[in-house]
Amino acid sequence: MKIQLHYRKREQGLSLVELLVTVVIVLLMSLAISGVLSTSEGKKRTMTSVNDIDQAGNYAMYQLEKTVRAAGSGISDNFQQVFGCQIFSALNGTQILPFTPAMGAPFTALNTALAGVYRVAPLIIAKDLTTPNVSGKKSDVLITMTGTAGFGEVPTPFTTVAGPGQLNLINSIAFNGNDLVLILDQAVTNGSPCMIQQVTAGYAGAINVTAVPLSGVYTSSPIGTTSLANYSGNAFAMNLGNATANMPNFQLIGVGNNNVLFQYDLLQGATFNTANAIADGVFEMHALYFVDTNADGIPDTFIDPGTAGFDFVTLESGTAASVATLKSIKAIRLGLITRTSLSEKPTVPPATTGPLTLFSDLGAPFTYTRTLSTAEKNFRYRTIELTIPLRNSLLLN
């Protein structure tokens, strides 16, 4: 009988206390493993986010450097008289410059400030003209213009006034079908109108051919307050690029909502009145001019783009003084602040304490300081700076 009772006791297995202890141990182990996995995943997410903004920032700066270095190409090398002329252009019979409707985000404020008027210039910085929703602070806009014809900097003089749908030039060797042509009088005052027209598709210019026919989506006359008939026999034509194969780059670049860097095509080669995203992760963008003050072709002084005479409204005025100032700008100092897209878990200390600074090596007058709010400190940031020469403006005096 005793043996039988002993056998039954062994069949009972673990007691309730033993089970509870086992469950507690398993739970503690699960919590420990979950904590390790959570920490590991958090670190992995942080590293991925930081790598993402590093790559996004480098890509954005690459795109900006490429654009800025080329600014002025094809419109400034040998004929600077074109600087400051007011651009008139139409697309499919609709005037696109001056752009009088409300321009799409994030360039609405800039277009309003300029009343839609844009003038030929390699590069202009419009200080504090976008307010991205994520940052909530002001960022700068770049206005850049680049011809892409390859020999567009050599103007071709008129022989007689333009006829209906036709230019009469001393030769047409610089022009082919679908080329975009900038037309401007030689005997003009600063800021005079210049008109963009398009060469007829299939046309092939030659040294002994003087008539250049005009037709295509960019051909229109009159455009606003100017027409081909306004240009005298002393006008000239300059090749800007090709409407179908190699569009000139007349564009605005600035930071918009959701940390996106946008580009807007002033010639509307893409979707009408729509900015195109070119990079993400960009929190703010700021820039300074690097200016040649003694006309030796070497930049020697940084100038804030809000300084009187260097503000974008003055540089877009087309006056002789503004043209001289444009010629003195040889480079810019560009600074980007990038930010991760995912917030870190609230920690002590925060992910980024701040403040963030740009241009600190240039001293107090030029240093930009960005103080972060408590919520903003839960993100991680990077700053990128670069001095970029306007290679086509270095020898302009």
Side-chain angles (χ1 to χ4, degrees), residues 79 81-85 183-194 230-232 234-236:
F79 201 78
Q81 187 174 346
V82 72
F83 281 11
C85 75
I183 301 167
L184 178 67
D185 256 312
Q186 296 190 53
V188 294
T189 57
N190 291 104
S192 294
C194 49
N230 297 140
Y231 295 92
S232 72
N234 291 321
F236 66 87

Side-chain angles (χ1 to χ4, degrees), residues 22-246:
T22 302
V23 170
V24 169
I25 292 172
V26 171
L27 286 175
L28 289 175
M29 291 178 64
S30 298
L31 288 174
I33 293 171
S34 296
V36 171
L37 291 176
S38 177
T39 301
S40 176
E41 183 62 28
K43 290 181 178 179
K44 179 181 177 182
R45 185 181 67 171
T46 296
M47 290 178 63
T48 301
S49 296
V50 170
N51 287 337
D52 285 346
I53 63 168
D54 285 342
Q55 293 181 27
N58 290 334
Y59 177 74
M61 188 60 83
Y62 164 75
Q63 293 289 346
L64 290 165
E65 181 183 9
K66 182 173 65 173
T67 299
V68 171
R69 281 182 179 274
S73 176
I75 58 174
S76 66
D77 289 10
N78 295 314
F79 201 78
Q80 301 154 39
Q81 187 174 346
V82 72
F83 281 11
C85 75
Q86 181 181 341
I87 306 169
F88 284 81
S89 180
L91 179 62
N92 293 316
T94 299
Q95 177 181 312
I96 56 173
L97 290 177
F99 191 77
T100 53
M103 186 176 285
F107 304 108
T108 308
L110 172 63
N111 195 67
T112 300
L114 293 175
V117 174
Y118 296 86
R119 299 178 184 275
V120 174
L123 183 141
I124 293 174
I125 302 169
K127 184 178 176 66
D128 293 344
L129 260 292
T130 70
T131 309
N133 64 345
V134 177
S135 168
K137 304 294 184 181
K138 302 290 186 180
S139 275
D140 297 345
V141 173
L142 304 181
I143 308 172
T144 70
M145 296 188 181
T146 304
T148 56
F151 40 68
E153 65 273 10
V154 180
T156 303
F158 281 29
T159 55
T160 60
V161 296
Q166 177 178 299
L167 301 180
N168 301 308
L169 309 177
I170 61 171
N171 68 70
S172 58
I173 194 170
F175 303 97
N176 289 294
N178 291 318
D179 282 347
L180 295 181
V181 183
L182 185 71
I183 301 167
L184 178 67
D185 256 312
Q186 296 190 53
V188 294
T189 57
N190 291 104
S192 294
C194 49
M195 176 180 269
I196 295 177
Q197 298 290 301
Q198 183 175 345
V199 178
T200 299
Y203 175 80
I207 195 168
N208 58 345
V209 176
T210 61
V212 179
L214 303 175
S215 64
V217 295
Y218 285 95
T219 293
S220 184
S221 185
I223 303 174
T225 59
T226 193
S227 70
L228 282 173
N230 297 140
Y231 295 92
S232 72
N234 291 321
F236 66 87
M238 179 180 289
N239 194 335
L240 292 178
N242 192 276
T244 59
N246 197 21

